[in-house]
Amino acid sequence: MKRFFLVALWFATAAAAQGFPNKPVKLVVGFSAGGPTDVIARIIAQDMTAAFGQPVLVENKAGAASMIATQEVKRSAPDGYTLYMTTLTHSVNAILHADKKPYDPIADFTPITLVCHLPLVMVAKGDSPFNTAADVVKAAREKPGEISYASSGNGGSAHLAGALVEALTGTKMLHVPFKGNAPALTEVMAGRISFMFYPMVGIAEQVAQKRLKVLAVSTEKRHPDYPSAPTMSESGFPGFEEYTQGLGVVGPAGLPAPVVSRLNEAIRASLVKPDTKEKLSRLGAITEGGSTPAEFRSFLAKDLERWERVIKAAGVKAD
């Protein structure tokens, strides 16, 4: 009887997957509309809509550093109709709030694919005395606690990149969080904050006008948009590029394998389309055609280990 039940369940699951999707799919983003994660999600969703013949709708659930969105997806039905666009906060929130155990970033979700990496640029005011990352570190050693760095919020990519510099150099700097990248960058350009790590896209004009200077890039190789700027590795931080934020797509735990396969194929097909690759490149995203679900699970496990080390070494705490 048990064997019969399992066989029947397998056929039912396979039949459901063959018809998937037969209604709109929701792709949840844990941040407000207009940011890099949201824009990337909408580009992918548009391609998935064309592939499925069903709408793939991006839904913004901002708040609590994306934890509201994460927990909503965790609680959703494991049928493939509610997905989540992960960022590094997927791992970081679980680490920072470990005492509350809000979710397990791996066990509570089904990995579908890695989408892209979003590198950062280390920037300072255009006429800042700092010309390199080494200049910042030197000043931080000479004036502990006086050198400051801005971010779009506690636990985000910019914050953790700055914390990583502190951890690797044994320096102590002042982290100043803002509600978004724009106000943080304004303070850097005004010279009230020493530097910040900023998403790759959106600063070319300020650099050209010499309102900002690029001290380094977090990519593995020099970036064509800023060819004179050294990489963080060249600046004395080997392996820094391994901490570049990865974006991916997951569903709740227990998604049927045929549904996962269908979703994986659709997203990876999107990522190799020339026009999609160009759009993502203009956002500063680095794409490699996606990954298998198993490869993405491995990435998430390593990402959790990476950020646990940084958070522990830098003493990062939840708000």
Side-chain angles (χ1 to χ4, degrees):
M1 180 62 71
K2 181 178 180 181
R3 183 179 177 184
F4 173 79
F5 174 77
L6 291 175
V7 171
L9 180 63
W10 184 90
F11 276 110
T13 300
Q18 284 183 345
F20 175 86
N22 55 24
K23 62 181 181 179
V25 175
K26 182 169 63 175
L27 179 56
V28 181
V29 171
F31 304 96
S32 300
T37 305
D38 172 72
V39 174
I40 290 169
R42 291 179 189 278
I43 291 170
I44 302 303
Q46 185 175 24
D47 288 343
M48 293 173 70
T49 295
F52 289 155
Q54 290 286 346
V56 177
L57 307 172
V58 174
E59 183 174 297
N60 300 93
K61 287 279 186 178
S66 80
M67 197 136 59
I68 292 172
T70 310
Q71 291 181 316
E72 176 180 309
V73 175
K74 172 191 171 184
R75 294 190 295 264
S76 65
D79 54 13
Y81 289 97
T82 302
L83 309 173
Y84 179 57
M85 179 69 82
T86 65
T87 65
L88 64 78
T89 61
H90 186 67
S91 295
V92 169
N93 282 334
I95 299 167
L96 292 179
H97 301 277
D99 57 328
K100 299 177 182 177
K101 295 182 173 58
Y103 59 85
D104 185 309
I106 298 174
D108 289 338
F109 299 88
T110 301
I112 295 169
T113 184
L114 180 68
V115 170
C116 65
H117 287 90
L118 280 181
L120 300 169
V121 283
M122 186 180 185
V123 296
K125 186 183 178 184
D127 60 359
S128 167
F130 305 133
N131 294 306
T132 66
D135 290 342
V136 173
V137 173
K138 182 175 182 291
R141 287 191 170 122
E142 293 172 350
K143 303 174 183 178
E146 290 188 27
I147 301 303
S148 57
Y149 63 97
S151 79
S152 60
N154 194 61
S157 59
H159 175 202
L160 293 180
L164 179 57
V165 170
E166 289 184 90
L168 292 175
T169 60
T171 55
K172 182 62 179 176
M173 294 183 264
L174 176 64
H175 170 229
V176 185
F178 291 85
K179 293 183 178 180
N181 277 313
L185 192 66
T186 297
E187 292 301 293
V188 172
M189 288 191 292
R192 289 185 284 269
I193 303 292
S194 306
F195 74 98
M196 77 173 293
F197 283 91
Y198 193 82
M200 186 69 72
V201 67
I203 62 166
E205 183 177 348
Q206 291 95 328
V207 173
Q209 295 173 350
K210 300 189 184 304
R211 300 173 66 195
L212 282 174
K213 69 170 70 172
V214 177
L215 308 182
V217 295
S218 72
T219 45
E220 183 178 5
K221 299 177 181 179
R222 292 200 179 198
H223 197 275
D225 289 352
Y226 310 102
S228 63
T231 65
M232 287 296 291
S233 181
E234 290 176 310
S235 303
F237 298 89
F240 197 94
E241 67 277 358
E242 295 177 8
Y243 292 85
T244 298
Q245 173 173 219
L247 273 61
V249 177
V250 300
L255 283 189
V259 171
V260 173
S261 179
R262 182 89 167 97
L263 290 166
N264 179 272
E265 289 172 3
I267 298 171
R268 295 181 75 177
S270 168
L271 294 173
V272 298
K273 287 179 59 179
D275 60 332
T276 298
K277 290 176 67 176
E278 182 181 352
K279 290 175 184 176
L280 294 177
S281 178
R282 287 202 299 266
L283 292 168
I286 298 174
T287 59
E288 297 174 353
S291 68
T292 66
E295 288 169 340
F296 188 34
R297 179 180 292 277
S298 177
F299 171 86
L300 289 173
K302 291 177 181 176
D303 207 45
L304 193 63
E305 294 173 0
R306 279 191 286 264
W307 293 118
E308 278 182 330
R309 288 197 299 269
V310 173
I311 287 169
K312 182 178 180 180
V316 176
K317 304 294 182 183
D319 285 333

